[in-house]
Amino acid sequence: MYLALLELKAARGRFLLMGCVVLLVAALVGIVSGFTTGLGDDTVSALRRLPASHLAFSPDAESDQFARSLVPAETLDRWRERPGVQATPLGVSITRGTTDRHTEVDLAAFGVEPGSFLDPGAEDGQPLRGDDQLVISRKLADEGVRIGDTLTVDRLGIALEVTGITARSSYGHVPAGYVTTATWQRIRFTTPGAQAPAAELPQQYGAIALRTTGGAELATADRQFGTRTITLDAAYAAAPGYTGERVTMTSIQFFLYLIAPLVVGAFFGVWTVQRQPELALLRAMGASRRRLLGHTLAQAAAVVLGGTLAGAALASAVGLLVGTEVPFSLPGSSLAATMGTVALAALAGAALTLRRVAEADPMTMLGAAR
């Protein structure tokens, strides 16, 4: 270990350069991880907050279910009669509105039944009670909507009084707002400029949210009721852009994990070649292969761990800098897992050079002396 530290000091410029490369790779992986998590939360956080285990859609909606699926009220009644199942309607539509204070916002309208297990309640103000009311997420409040405002849905003229604020949530990067299922049906089915009574609107929902016990046979119920039930996690793919964003960001992370061992391995490979005379001399002086291997791994660990820790600090600083202006989320557990993977990948690259270290021949130095 003493010799490893001496070499680090003697060639500090080279090792500092390599440490900076590891720092940048680790920081980039951490930043990409933060954006991956943040974009995912910004796309499906409203769905993640739903206290449901499954969602039942119409069988013809195999993609973009919340926009294409329509489930009749009769099917809801049959699900409610099913043993071991709690069922409540759900509708999701993206729209736009303007408050009476001329604040224009995009809105992901979640239609729920007041008092059902999907009702989000309210952290501030009053929970959802009537068809002319709206409970907004904290994200809409950040955009300027306040309790007591009247938000009018553009082109439809549906006026909703903001009565409460619930936790931050969004769907498809659009802040969520909660209305009754009757109001959602007006948003979903009303033709702009028409004044159709609520009773004439189709009594259909986008999905049926289910909470099940262990004895519920959902596949059998699907065949009987003409629905297609999937888990709540599987329904995330129905959110606009969710799958594409995750594939893109995960691909970037994957290639960064490949870059780390290649760069570190190349550096230590060149470094080992340059140190062959020194390694041969140490072998001729009686140093064991195990000691030389530990000597090399200690250098690699110092460079990799130092660069990774600095990269983690830089990624965290970027998260603090961007704040809530962009969808970025990097909790401590995720940061630790990401940095651990980077360090292991980089050390694996360094391990590829150990063969040349172990093959250092003392006769090389002895022959050079002759």
Side-chain angles (χ1 to χ4, degrees), residues 1-195:
M1 186 64 186
Y2 178 69
L3 290 176
L5 293 177
L6 284 180
E7 281 195 335
L8 285 174
K9 182 178 179 180
R12 54 183 175 273
R14 299 179 189 180
F15 285 104
L16 182 60
L17 179 61
M18 190 62 241
C20 289
V21 173
V22 175
L23 181 156
L24 293 176
V25 171
L28 188 54
V29 172
I31 292 170
V32 170
S33 177
F35 279 118
T36 301
T37 305
L39 287 169
D41 289 342
D42 204 48
T43 304
V44 298
S45 59
L47 296 180
R48 285 176 177 160
R49 293 189 66 239
L50 296 178
S53 59
H54 296 77
L55 294 176
F57 296 99
S58 58
D60 57 328
E62 297 184 358
S63 64
D64 198 14
Q65 289 95 328
F66 289 106
R68 300 182 181 182
S69 173
L70 289 174
V71 182
E74 294 80 7
T75 302
L76 172 63
D77 295 335
R78 298 180 69 184
W79 268 109
R80 282 174 165 168
E81 295 171 357
R82 187 78 180 178
V85 175
Q86 288 181 281
T88 188
L90 172 66
V92 180
S93 294
I94 296 179
T95 186
R96 185 172 178 80
T98 305
T99 69
D100 51 356
R101 295 187 297 107
H102 308 292
T103 300
E104 297 182 358
V105 293
D106 292 318
L107 172 71
F110 275 65
V112 299
E113 283 189 341
S116 70
F117 62 81
L118 292 187
D119 188 346
E123 295 179 350
D124 299 322
Q126 299 297 321
L128 185 67
R129 290 293 178 263
D131 293 340
D132 58 348
Q133 295 181 350
L134 169 68
V135 172
I136 61 172
S137 71
R138 188 73 58 184
K139 193 172 181 181
L140 270 174
D142 293 341
E143 295 185 7
V145 183
R146 300 288 182 265
I147 294 176
D149 287 354
T150 298
L151 185 144
T152 302
V153 179
D154 292 353
R155 301 175 60 210
L156 300 179
I158 301 173
L160 303 171
E161 179 188 359
V162 179
T163 62
I165 300 175
T166 188
R168 292 177 64 89
S169 59
S170 56
Y171 170 78
H173 304 299
V174 179
Y178 297 86
V179 297
T180 64
T181 51
T183 301
W184 174 82
Q185 288 170 344
R186 292 174 64 194
I187 295 173
R188 176 69 172 81
F189 298 116
T190 299
T191 303
Q195 298 294 328

Side-chain angles (χ1 to χ4, degrees), residues 31 34-35 37-39 41-42 139 168 173 318-330:
I31 292 170
F35 279 118
T37 305
L39 287 169
D41 289 342
D42 204 48
K139 193 172 181 181
R168 292 177 64 89
H173 304 299
V318 170
L320 294 175
L321 181 64
V322 299
T324 59
E325 298 299 321
V326 296
F328 186 94
S329 176
L330 191 59

